[in-house]
Amino acid sequence: MPSSVVHAALAAALAVGLLGRFYDRRAIAVVLVVVVIPEADTALGLVMAGAHRTVLHTMALPAVVAPLLYWETTRDGSVLRGRWGARGVRIAWVGLLVHTFAHVALDWTHLEGINLLWPAVDRFFALEGEMYLSTSEGFVQTFVDVGRDPETGRSVIDAGQGGTRAETHVSNPAQPDPEPEPDPGPVDRRFPIAVRGWQLHVLLTGAFAVLARRLQSDRLDP
Amino acid sequence: MVAVSGFMSIGLDHAIMPPTPVAVAVGVLLAVALLGPAFDRRSVAIVAAAAAAPDLDLVFALVGPGGPNATLHTAFVPVLATAALYYDTRIRGTSRVADRYGPYGVRVAWVAVAALAVAGVGVDAFSSEGVALLYPLSDRYYAIVGGFLLSTQDGVVQTYVTVADGGVGVSSPGTLDTHAIPSPLAPGGERRFRIVETGEQAVLVATALVALPAKWLVERRDRSTEARC
């Protein structure tokens, strides 16, 4: 997992603009809580093998929640709208968006990836590849490779799929991977804040967006 | 020294130079965050263009001095742009930007300068190919790469910036003479225009593509509410 700090920074950058006229300290606090919630499945990993990156790191959740949220907020007698008004509806949609993009999609690219369609399909997927236009090959993308098995002649699709929930353990500070060699020392738990240049850049960009927004007025008054 | 488990090993960047569409995506995210009441098709296009502009030094490198990630990726470009805009809007009696384009123009200009620095130069500065941050004063490329983590054994570990001999340093992949940056315009056989080169970059671009229509819906709703009030 890119650290919760990186997830929170990207979520903040998105929330600054998308909360619109409902942007304030409380609204952004709710969005930041929502974006780190999926890490709760790390705790579940202590009792359910492979729960981390499975139970809450799945695209099945936003796929189900989005239509439900649309239905609930557009019907007569909507509980969310009745209780919290347009502000609650806006925060709910921004929360769903940052959950999907700033957390689950970002983890999809990292290590063994996420259990993309769990519980419908129990299979980890890692998003890896590149995309370019070439003068000799035209448009090329390697995120999803469609090839042919040389022995059986059947077509094979490689979208970065790995093992199932029971087979896959994604290392995390609560349950680090065992050391490669038996080490006499104590287990080292490492809590990354930013790793690689781009993560630090995302972190600083999120902080910049929040600070810059504070300097701005809400209206374009001369 | 305790062995470092895989995902927390640091400083292992591949040779990565984020393609222009990634800088544009970060520029679009800034436009969504900061344009506010000035958000429209034209202002988003201006901010996105500012994010892409530094990559034009690939073209200049073919005809003149300087080089890719140097001529326009220097810190002097955003610093001079900020100074000029600050002088025009705050120090001079009458602002040329405000006179001509109104408060809309002032807001768009500031967000464009931010995109120039954070997206145009910043995205490349935090990649292993680096940027010549002090060009033309210095030919050296600088790359802010590394890691920052908390360890139960080693405490705070930070490798982006090294402090030694009374100076502060970041890693450098070389100078204009020694560090060759691949260019799609360089003479040769196959030419590649790279769109994204890692999964993370693909997610950033996808996020920007979703944030744009989302912001459009948000602004339409917010402005119609304000008009009614």
Side-chain angles (χ1 to χ4, degrees), chain A residues 17 21 90 111 129 131-137 188-191 193-194 196-198 201 216-217 220, chain B residues 7-8 32 34 103 107 118 126 146 148 150-152 154 160 190-193 195-197 200 215 222:
Chain A
R21 70 190 175 96
R90 175 73 54 82
L111 292 184
M131 205 181 270
Y132 57 84
L133 296 172
S134 155
T135 47
S136 57
E137 300 164 87
D188 185 23
R189 295 173 194 271
R190 296 189 156 221
F191 299 83
I193 293 168
R196 295 169 185 277
W198 72 268
H201 184 258
Q216 292 180 319
S217 54
L220 289 178
Chain B
F7 79 109
M8 291 164 200
V32 167
L34 300 177
R107 171 71 71 102
V118 176
F126 288 83
F148 180 21
L150 308 178
S151 159
T152 50
D154 303 328
Y160 287 108
E190 187 211 17
R191 283 163 203 273
R192 279 189 185 181
F193 175 74
I195 301 167
V196 292
E197 54 188 13
E200 299 90 52
K215 178 64 176 173
D222 285 357

Side-chain angles (χ1 to χ4, degrees), chain A residues 148-163:
Chain A
R148 201 162 278 276
D149 190 317
E151 285 175 15
T152 60
R154 288 166 53 184
S155 57
V156 185
I157 297 174
D158 177 8
Q161 58 268 54

Side-chain angles (χ1 to χ4, degrees), chain B residues 57-64 183 185-187:
Chain B
D57 58 19
L58 281 175
V59 181
F60 292 151
L62 295 179
V63 292
S183 161
L185 304 174

Side-chain angles (χ1 to χ4, degrees), chain A residues 1 10 13-14 16-22 90 97 101 105-106 109-111 127 129-137 139 143 171-173 177 179-180 183 186-198 200-201 204-205 208-209 212-213 216-222, chain B residues 1-4 7-10 12-14 26 29-30 32-34 37-38 103-104 107 111 114 118 122-123 126 144-154 160 189-200 202-204 206-207 210-211 214-215 218 221-222 225-226:
Chain A
M1 47 172 200
L10 184 55
L14 286 166
V16 164
L18 297 180
L19 285 171
R21 70 190 175 96
F22 300 110
R90 175 73 54 82
L97 193 96
F101 286 90
L106 212 51
T109 67
H110 183 253
L111 292 184
L127 186 70
E130 58 177 339
M131 205 181 270
Y132 57 84
L133 296 172
S134 155
T135 47
S136 57
E137 300 164 87
F139 174 76
F143 289 102
S171 183
N172 60 73
D177 274 342
E179 302 287 346
D183 193 311
V187 179
D188 185 23
R189 295 173 194 271
R190 296 189 156 221
F191 299 83
I193 293 168
V195 180
R196 295 169 185 277
W198 72 268
L200 183 62
H201 184 258
L204 295 175
T205 304
F208 173 79
R213 180 67 184 81
Q216 292 180 319
S217 54
D218 290 339
R219 291 160 181 275
L220 289 178
D221 295 326
Chain B
M1 181 75 191
V2 183
V4 180
F7 79 109
M8 291 164 200
S9 54
I10 50 187
L12 287 176
D13 280 273
H14 312 290
V26 175
L29 287 175
L30 284 172
V32 167
L34 300 177
Y104 170 92
R107 171 71 71 102
V111 181
V118 176
V123 164
F126 288 83
I144 306 167
V145 291
F148 180 21
L149 56 81
L150 308 178
S151 159
T152 50
Q153 296 301 310
D154 303 328
Y160 287 108
E190 187 211 17
R191 283 163 203 273
R192 279 189 185 181
F193 175 74
R194 295 161 315 125
I195 301 167
V196 292
E197 54 188 13
T198 63
E200 299 90 52
V203 169
L204 272 184
T207 304
V210 169
K215 178 64 176 173
V218 163
R221 191 148 296 189
D222 285 357
T225 312
E226 269 174 25

Side-chain angles (χ1 to χ4, degrees), chain B residues 40-191:
Chain B
D40 60 21
R41 210 175 295 180
R42 188 169 61 152
S43 59
V44 170
I46 292 170
V47 174
D55 284 352
L56 284 175
D57 58 19
L58 281 175
V59 181
F60 292 151
L62 295 179
V63 292
N69 276 14
T71 328
L72 293 176
H73 282 74
T74 150
F76 292 110
V77 171
V79 166
L80 286 177
T82 306
L85 191 56
Y86 187 83
Y87 172 75
D88 181 74
T89 56
R90 297 289 171 84
I91 296 176
R92 259 156 70 119
T94 55
S95 159
R96 200 174 274 196
V97 177
D99 276 357
R100 190 127 185 230
Y101 304 102
Y104 170 92
V106 176
R107 171 71 71 102
V108 175
W110 275 117
V111 181
V113 169
L116 187 65
V118 176
V121 178
V123 164
D124 289 322
F126 288 83
S127 78
S128 56
E129 293 287 2
V131 299
L133 209 54
L134 300 176
Y135 186 86
L137 296 184
S138 158
D139 278 357
R140 183 157 288 282
Y141 283 96
Y142 296 97
I144 306 167
V145 291
F148 180 21
L149 56 81
L150 308 178
S151 159
T152 50
Q153 296 301 310
D154 303 328
V156 179
V157 182
Q158 187 282 121
T159 60
Y160 287 108
V161 179
T162 50
V163 183
D165 303 331
V168 177
V170 299
S171 63
S172 168
T175 65
L176 266 182
D177 297 326
T178 61
H179 178 53
I181 290 182
S183 161
L185 304 174
E190 187 211 17
R191 283 163 203 273

Side-chain angles (χ1 to χ4, degrees), chain A residues 83-105:
Chain A
R83 180 96 196 267
W84 287 288
R87 180 181 158 86
V89 176
R90 175 73 54 82
I91 294 175
W93 279 113
V94 174
L96 183 64
L97 193 96
V98 300
H99 165 82
T100 310
F101 286 90
H103 198 125
V104 180

